[in-house]
Amino acid sequence: MASAGKGKSRRVLILVENLPSPFDRRVWQEATTLHANGYEVSIICPTGKGYESRYEEIDGIHIYRYKLPLEAEGAKGYAIEYSAALFHTFRLAWKVLFQRGFDVIHACNPPDLLFLIGGFFKLTMGKKFLFDHHDINPELYEAKFGRRDFFYKLMVLFERWSFKTSDVSIATNESYKRIAIERGGMDPNKVYVVRSGPKLDRLRVLPPVEALKKGKRYLVGYVGVMGAQEGIDLLLEAAKYLIVDMGRKDVHFGLVGGGTSLDQMRALAVKMGIADHVTFTGRVPDQDLLEMLNTSDVCVNPDVANDMNDKSTMNKIMEYMALGKPIVQFDLAEGKVSAQEASLYANKNDPVDMAKKIAELLDDPARRARMGEYGRHRVVNELEWQYEAPKLLAAYERLYSANAPLPGAVPPSYKGS
């Protein structure tokens, strides 16, 4: 594929609301891949711990940040957060336009409201709009609040308008592609599947750090957000069954990640009487995350079985596989597509079955090794970011050329980021 550096410069503005850059790995991989292939890239995102600067340039990417008033949890909180995000994103988009310019707005959801900004610049200035579909927000709303009410229908409407406004959309898996076509009304030839493949130069295999096991023989690792739909309460129930009911005093759990439910989950571990067997690190640097996962004998994904998680590809699964770790997760469609034989699948939302499957793997080192090897091989040969980056570039070629590769017919070569 030809580099965008030939001829007129191509300038991209990426909008992301839920995480700061470069902390959001998928967004950062997209940005650096575009930059390496001749695009000028700017990002607008919120500030976050360790990313407080309102502007900085990293690896040639220009990052403009704004401060959110709060980290939302309830419906009112989300209304405040998203309103503030829209205001600041629109304000900073003008700043980028005058300072650096852009031809394309690349909007990463949530929320499904960034089409308002993309649509404005598309209608008034002829800019292109690409919708990068990270989360299915109607299902996310239902997972958080347990209902399909007026606001659920509003989420569906916002999602449809996001697709209708976009010139091209990116889906993270085939389930999301079907939603783009069937619910969003997108032309299938304008929907590109770009999976969130890990980069092996970041996910390095390291020696275990025995101190992280807190004197126990085994460590069970988790990395991810501590939120309502992530099932951390189910994981703690599984841990309690394993430790108390099954008498496995030889196991420690290492849980890496922050989120609105972190303090609540810490308190729940104390209430269950298993706090001495569980480490909550909060959000930590990559090195600490890598040490925890590399030390783990088994890694877990307790995401609640619902429509949202069933259709979503979880980055944590890819990260576990990249490090050669066997996995236990609930029986979810896209989780199976990703992990295949690298995982055991517990009955949906059944912490007792999850505990039993964790114990099954802890007691079978040969099986752990086979599953870990299978997952690592799958990432190295099929799922790493190098296999997804050409698909991202093909989606961008579609924005600029009617003769661009259609989805599924992507040339294999590109300049690495």
Side-chain angles (χ1 to χ4, degrees):
M1 184 178 298
S3 167
K6 293 180 180 179
K8 186 179 177 182
S9 176
R10 296 179 176 183
R11 302 164 299 172
V12 178
L13 173 60
I14 298 177
L15 311 181
V16 56
E17 189 275 341
N18 62 334
L19 286 172
S21 291
F23 183 78
D24 187 316
R25 292 299 172 189
R26 177 183 171 88
V27 172
W28 193 244
Q29 286 175 183
E30 290 174 330
T32 53
T33 296
L34 289 169
H35 177 70
N37 284 271
Y39 291 80
E40 293 182 16
V41 183
S42 303
I43 300 176
I44 296 175
C45 64
T47 58
K49 185 178 179 181
Y51 306 99
E52 286 87 4
S53 298
R54 297 306 176 94
Y55 169 82
E56 63 180 320
E57 181 182 342
I58 303 176
D59 297 337
I61 312 296
H62 301 273
I63 308 171
Y64 297 77
R65 301 192 186 101
Y66 57 87
K67 186 173 178 60
L68 286 170
L70 50 81
E71 186 175 9
E73 196 163 1
K76 185 177 179 181
Y78 280 109
I80 295 170
E81 176 186 326
Y82 290 161
S83 297
L86 278 176
F87 169 77
H88 289 298
T89 301
F90 188 58
R91 172 181 64 81
L92 288 171
W94 282 103
K95 185 173 184 177
V96 175
L97 182 68
F98 288 121
Q99 288 187 350
R100 316 205 61 80
F102 55 82
D103 322 302
V104 175
I105 288 183
H106 176 145
C108 308
N109 81 327
D112 287 340
L113 293 170
L114 297 173
F115 76 91
L116 294 169
I117 297 172
F120 173 83
F121 286 102
K122 180 177 179 176
L123 289 172
T124 61
M125 301 180 194
K127 308 299 183 184
K128 298 287 187 179
F129 180 62
L130 183 150
F131 179 47
D132 193 350
H133 195 199
H134 289 191
D135 287 317
I136 38 178
N137 279 325
E139 285 81 357
L140 180 59
Y141 176 86
E142 185 179 17
K144 284 181 178 291
F145 301 108
R147 56 184 183 266
R148 290 192 174 191
D149 54 10
F150 167 78
F151 292 104
Y152 172 88
K153 294 174 183 175
L154 198 59
M155 296 292 106
V156 173
L157 188 62
F158 289 157
E159 179 188 78
R160 186 171 181 84
W161 284 344
S162 295
F163 285 118
K164 287 295 185 184
T165 305
S166 62
D167 298 286
V168 165
S169 75
I170 289 175
T172 55
N173 58 38
E174 293 295 336
S175 294
Y176 277 35
K177 181 174 182 177
R178 283 194 295 274
I179 288 171
I181 296 166
E182 295 170 7
R183 199 161 72 192
M186 282 290 293
D187 177 349
N189 289 329
K190 295 182 179 180
V191 184
Y192 289 74
V193 175
V194 182
R195 294 181 176 275
S196 295
K199 292 188 73 173
L200 295 179
D201 59 353
R202 181 181 79 90
L203 290 165
R204 293 167 288 116
V205 176
L206 302 172
V209 179
E210 291 300 321
L212 294 174
K213 294 187 176 184
K214 305 296 182 182
K216 307 299 189 293
R217 182 176 180 182
Y218 300 110
L219 180 67
V220 176
Y222 167 87
V223 60
V225 177
M226 303 284 171
Q229 70 273 12
E230 276 74 29
I232 307 303
D233 55 338
L234 294 176
L235 177 58
L236 292 177
E237 286 181 32
K240 181 183 177 184
Y241 188 86
L242 187 71
I243 295 160
V244 178
D245 297 83
M246 297 180 71
R248 297 296 299 255
K249 307 298 184 185
D250 57 348
V251 184
H252 194 78
F253 285 74
L255 280 57
V256 178
T260 55
S261 298
L262 177 58
D263 290 340
Q264 182 184 350
M265 292 301 104
R266 280 177 171 146
L268 182 59
V270 172
K271 184 178 179 181
M272 288 180 169
I274 59 171
D276 290 345
H277 288 264
V278 183
T279 296
F280 291 90
T281 67
R283 186 180 289 181
V284 295
D286 273 1
Q287 182 65 23
D288 293 357
L289 179 152
L290 286 172
E291 288 177 356
M292 185 71 79
L293 294 187
N294 274 289
T295 306
S296 298
D297 299 282
V298 172
C299 287
V300 289
N301 176 28
D303 283 328
V304 177
N306 55 35
D307 282 349
M308 164 72 185
N309 291 335
D310 195 56
K311 294 181 174 70
S312 299
T313 299
M314 303 304 175
N315 290 341
K316 62 177 80 72
I317 296 296
M318 304 287 194
E319 294 178 348
Y320 299 159
M321 292 165 66
L323 295 173
K325 298 299 174 179
I327 303 162
V328 176
Q329 59 180 312
F330 292 127
D331 190 354
L332 299 173
E334 286 294 339
K336 274 189 167 178
V337 169
S338 297
Q340 298 184 8
E341 296 173 30
S343 180
L344 295 186
Y345 301 93
N347 296 330
K348 293 180 179 181
N349 302 336
D350 184 345
V352 172
D353 194 40
M354 175 168 275
K356 290 177 178 178
K357 284 185 165 55
I358 292 171
E360 189 180 324
L361 283 182
L362 293 179
D363 293 335
D364 193 342
R367 191 178 187 187
R368 292 203 310 269
R370 286 196 305 272
M371 290 171 64
E373 272 180 37
Y374 176 90
R376 172 80 179 176
H377 183 270
R378 185 158 156 69
V379 170
V380 170
N381 293 284
E382 298 178 53
L383 301 176
E384 191 183 0
W385 177 249
Q386 65 169 311
Y387 304 110
E388 301 304 313
K391 302 171 189 176
L392 171 70
L393 297 173
Y396 265 83
E397 285 299 319
R398 181 75 178 181
L399 287 172
Y400 286 94
S401 170
N403 298 319
L406 295 177
V410 181
S413 61
Y414 77 103
K415 292 183 180 179
S417 56

